[in-house]
Amino acid sequence: MSYILQIDFTMEGSFGEEMATAFHDLAMSIREEEGFQWKIWTENPDAKEAGGVYVFETKEAAEKYLDMHTKRLAQFGLENVRAKVFGINETLTKVTDGPVK
């Protein structure tokens, strides 16, 4: 079973293409994390919120990444981090064309 990690936080700063440029190196480093499969980047400029939905191979990999990433976000001055880990019901996800293997 794969696991979803959902993270969001309040962010003062760039969104859209400016965010894409500013966070490109971060995106490249995320690709190298243990158990990482993919990420959808989320943003809501009106609410000044950003985050993402990640998929990891194991719950342990998702939790390990969350611990590291929460500390990294704090170094960026982002401390209002909300996160949840969910198991994926792969059978139902395949029925609705979700990207599971």
Side-chain angles (χ1 to χ4, degrees), residues 25-38 56 64-65 68 72:
D25 290 343
L26 174 62
M28 295 302 291
S29 74
I30 291 170
R31 294 170 49 117
E32 304 302 319
E33 294 296 328
E34 179 184 334
F36 173 80
Q37 293 182 336
W38 54 262
F56 287 89
K64 180 179 176 184
Y65 179 81
M68 180 278 298
R72 175 169 51 197

Side-chain angles (χ1 to χ4, degrees), residues 1-7 33-38 53-70 83-88:
M1 173 189 299
S2 294
Y3 287 82
I4 294 275
L5 170 60
Q6 174 187 324
I7 299 176
E33 294 296 328
E34 179 184 334
F36 173 80
Q37 293 182 336
W38 54 262
V53 177
Y54 306 69
V55 174
F56 287 89
E57 293 173 357
T58 66
K59 184 177 182 182
E60 292 76 21
E63 290 173 341
K64 180 179 176 184
Y65 179 81
L66 173 58
D67 180 59
M68 180 278 298
H69 193 51
T70 301
K84 293 182 180 181
V85 175
F86 298 94
I88 297 174

Side-chain angles (χ1 to χ4, degrees), residues 9-13 15 43-50 78 82:
F9 47 86
T10 304
M11 183 177 85
E12 297 286 336
F15 293 93
E43 60 182 46
N44 183 339
D46 294 335
K48 297 185 179 181
E49 294 176 333
L78 304 170
R82 296 167 297 274

Side-chain angles (χ1 to χ4, degrees), residues 83-95:
K84 293 182 180 181
V85 175
F86 298 94
I88 297 174
N89 184 314
E90 293 177 2
T91 302
L92 288 173
T93 301
K94 286 177 185 177
V95 169

